[in-house]
Amino acid sequence: MNFHKNPLLLEELHLLWVQMSLRLVLVSLRIPKVDQGVSVVAGCGITNLTHIFRYISLTLLVICICLLPGSNPKLPGSTQMLIIWLTCSAFCCWVVGRLSEWRGPRTHEKAVWALAVLISVFGWLVTAFPSAMVERMTGAVLGLDRSPWLAFGTVDQAASVQGMISVTNALMLLLMALDFGLERSCRVAIALAVSTAGFITAAAGLCIHSSADLVALWKVPHVPSSVFGLFWYHGNTASFLNLSWPVGVWLCLKLLRNGLRSFKQQIMLSLLLVAVMVQIIGVCVNVSKMGHLLLVLELLLLVGGGLFAWKPDMSMLPFGRWRFATLIGIGAGLLVAGAWLSGAAEGLERWNVFAQRRFDDPARRHSTLMALKIGLDYGATGTGPGTFEWVSKHYTALDPVLKGGHWRHAHNDYAEFFAEWGWPGAAFFILLLLFPFRRWIRALRQVFAPTPRKSEMSFHRRTGLICLSAGVISILVHSLVDFPLQIDAIRHLFAVVMGLVLALTSSSASRSASSGSGSRPLHPELVPWR
């Protein structure tokens, strides 16, 4: 059957996949019962109410993640506004659940909570006091007649409001994922949602790739060659997929470690393997050169790091090592064949063109320097979140390399972040490296420590830290030459995965000890992995 000539059938298949995935995720989540160890007398019903609000919050969070591939505002029927409302609703339910049990931030949450508050307060403060306004037709920046102490903020309030809504939503997702990541069923549900979002993205890009199909999907007269499925820019698609497919690998390893005792587990493993392979093929077919490099980097990290960190657990596999190696070889062969038959040769042609330019891209270099210049000129507060597109017009006119194009982003997230947030933004980034990332690095050092220290961490935590860290590292590296963190779908997915990574840095032993000091016992459904 030719899917390209029947877009309605393709849309129905995608909808069916989302429905099946949501049903699989939601059925695995059960509202805790009162007779399973929760004392009604001690909690007076508050504990049950807490679990209900957390269940609603997690359900909305899972649906939000599954809808991320369709969040591009240019896409007809975009889910952008729906995601905003779902995130806010999920966060409100999560806050009510936390307040109902009077539970403050844990040790691994304190720095993240503090940074989230600092970033939100500063961003909205700058947005609330505009210093200028952009004239949309000409791009001219018109100064406002205000007192100097008021005119210190964003260059354009309309653009900054949209930017801060996106940043605030991402911070909400980060805090919720950081909390839910400590609970077994919640962690698996979020990981399944991430894999589902990645599969939808890859399947859409592989099935809808002809010009006629893309024009029909995007409802525009002309679609540039950079469009890949549901993303307007192929580099963003590669970033999204490189962030999502390692999460599926983690779930596959978890199922293998548990032994595949039931037919349901075997079917689940098969579906996850198909989803992971489709996402990897999607990266190969995508013409993003950096996406290809990071795919190879992630595979090397998972294979090299995995063999070192998981060697003591190889004996627990449901089959022998040689059979496992044979299965991996067969899977690699299928990946290569699938990628080549799906059109990966076009990516090789782009590499040849890039090699003829001596692997240099002057336009990207100049755009990064331009962003740094903007940051130095507006160092106190930055130009404001989401304003780079308008401010850059006045700098590109002075650069002979850039003046012929329209630069919405700087092709370097760090330079663009500095331009829009100024020195305070740079300070927030340094704090992010010093506090939460310090726990992350310490946990990774334990993963690759000698066997006695390594055995202190469970197999599930070790595999999760390696797989999810590979995806996070791919985004951080890709941000040096592109703008993945400026796209809502990638920014939100990165916040979710980063929340899971930071949650895995905290052992359940420390949490059980802190919880044990209270009078209320932990519910069995909410006890995290050891």
Side-chain angles (χ1 to χ4, degrees), residues 336-357:
V336 173
W340 189 262
L341 293 175
S342 301
E346 186 178 350
L348 295 178
E349 294 178 3
R350 284 182 59 87
W351 273 105
N352 292 331
V353 174
F354 191 44
Q356 293 174 5
R357 300 204 313 251

Side-chain angles (χ1 to χ4, degrees), residues 259-439:
L260 300 177
R261 299 181 181 88
S262 64
F263 180 71
K264 178 182 177 181
Q265 289 177 328
Q266 297 173 11
I267 294 297
M268 188 64 195
L269 178 62
S270 302
L271 292 175
L272 285 171
L273 286 174
V274 170
V276 170
M277 293 180 69
V278 169
Q279 291 173 70
I280 295 177
I281 292 174
V283 178
C284 296
V285 174
N286 192 292
V287 294
S288 171
K289 299 180 291 295
M290 196 63 184
H292 298 160
L293 285 176
L294 292 175
L295 173 63
V296 174
L297 173 64
E298 287 180 294
L299 291 173
L300 291 176
L301 287 175
L302 293 181
V303 174
L307 289 177
F308 180 81
W310 308 328
K311 190 175 181 180
D313 302 278
M314 295 293 287
S315 59
M316 302 297 294
L317 293 174
F319 34 73
R321 295 184 181 183
W322 289 108
R323 183 178 297 180
F324 183 60
T326 303
L327 292 175
I328 291 179
I330 294 174
L334 291 175
L335 280 175
V336 173
W340 189 262
L341 293 175
S342 301
E346 186 178 350
L348 295 178
E349 294 178 3
R350 284 182 59 87
W351 273 105
N352 292 331
V353 174
F354 191 44
Q356 293 174 5
R357 300 204 313 251
R358 298 182 179 181
F359 301 101
D360 186 26
D361 193 338
R364 298 197 183 200
R365 282 193 290 106
H366 282 247
S367 66
T368 301
L369 294 175
M370 174 182 64
L372 294 175
K373 180 68 166 57
I374 295 174
L376 293 174
D377 291 344
Y378 294 86
T381 61
T383 61
T387 59
F388 177 84
E389 177 183 2
W390 307 106
V391 179
S392 63
K393 289 186 175 182
H394 306 278
Y395 287 80
T396 55
L398 305 176
D399 193 319
V401 178
L402 303 177
K403 65 180 181 181
H406 177 72
W407 293 84
R408 294 189 60 193
H409 300 288
H411 285 272
N412 185 308
D413 277 331
Y414 307 108
E416 183 170 347
F417 187 70
F418 177 55
E420 294 182 346
W421 292 75
W423 291 111
F428 295 147
F429 183 73
I430 293 174
L431 291 175
L432 188 64
L433 289 177
L434 290 178
F435 295 106
F437 275 47
R438 186 174 58 181
R439 292 184 59 89

Side-chain angles (χ1 to χ4, degrees), residues 65 82 84 100 120 128-129 139 170-171 191 274 297 303 372 385 388 414 424 444 511 514:
I65 296 172
L82 181 58
I84 292 174
S100 64
S120 299
F129 297 97
L171 293 174
V274 170
L297 173 64
V303 174
L372 294 175
F388 177 84
Y414 307 108
L444 287 177
R511 186 192 178 202
S514 61

Side-chain angles (χ1 to χ4, degrees), residues 4 133 152 180 202 233 339 375 426 441 469 520:
H4 310 297
M133 181 180 66
F152 79 98
F180 287 129
Y233 178 57
I441 298 301
S469 296
R520 182 173 58 83

Side-chain angles (χ1 to χ4, degrees), residues 96-107:
V96 172
R98 293 286 296 234
L99 291 177
S100 64
E101 56 182 352
W102 299 102
R103 181 156 56 90
R106 305 182 185 95
T107 303

Side-chain angles (χ1 to χ4, degrees), residues 461-512:
R461 284 184 63 205
R462 279 185 278 129
T463 52
L465 280 170
I466 293 177
C467 293
L468 272 62
S469 296
V472 170
I473 291 171
S474 73
I475 294 295
L476 296 178
V477 175
H478 205 151
S479 296
L480 292 170
V481 296
D482 255 327
F483 48 91
L485 293 178
Q486 306 300 327
I487 307 303
D488 287 352
I490 305 173
R491 177 185 287 166
H492 293 359
L493 190 68
F494 179 80
V496 170
V497 176
M498 193 69 240
L500 292 178
V501 169
L502 295 177
L504 289 171
T505 63
S506 178
S507 66
S508 60
S510 60
R511 186 192 178 202
S512 300

Side-chain angles (χ1 to χ4, degrees), residues 24-166:
L24 182 64
V25 169
L26 298 181
V27 166
S28 66
L29 302 173
R30 302 189 300 275
I31 299 178
K33 298 179 181 179
V34 177
D35 59 356
Q36 287 181 317
V38 179
S39 174
V40 182
V41 177
C44 300
I46 298 298
T47 300
N48 237 15
L49 183 65
T50 298
H51 294 328
I52 291 175
F53 274 108
R54 289 177 64 82
Y55 179 85
I56 295 173
S57 175
L58 179 62
T59 303
L60 295 176
L61 174 61
V62 166
I63 296 174
C64 177
I65 296 172
C66 292
L67 294 176
L68 286 178
S71 61
N72 192 308
K74 295 182 180 179
L75 194 66
S78 172
T79 59
Q80 183 185 39
M81 293 304 301
L82 181 58
I83 288 173
I84 292 174
W85 285 107
L86 285 174
T87 304
C88 294
S89 302
F91 187 76
C92 290
C93 292
W94 176 77
V95 170
V96 172
R98 293 286 296 234
L99 291 177
S100 64
E101 56 182 352
W102 299 102
R103 181 156 56 90
R106 305 182 185 95
T107 303
H108 72 287
E109 293 177 326
K110 291 180 180 179
V112 181
W113 283 32
L115 285 170
V117 171
L118 282 174
I119 293 172
S120 299
V121 170
F122 175 76
W124 282 111
L125 183 64
V126 171
T127 300
F129 297 97
S131 61
M133 181 180 66
V134 174
E135 208 283 315
R136 288 294 190 268
M137 295 297 295
T138 63
V141 178
L142 308 177
L144 301 180
D145 186 15
R146 293 191 175 188
S147 302
W149 69 275
L150 286 178
F152 79 98
T154 179
V155 170
D156 185 68
Q157 192 174 54
S160 286
V161 167
Q162 295 298 321
M164 275 309 301
I165 289 176
S166 176

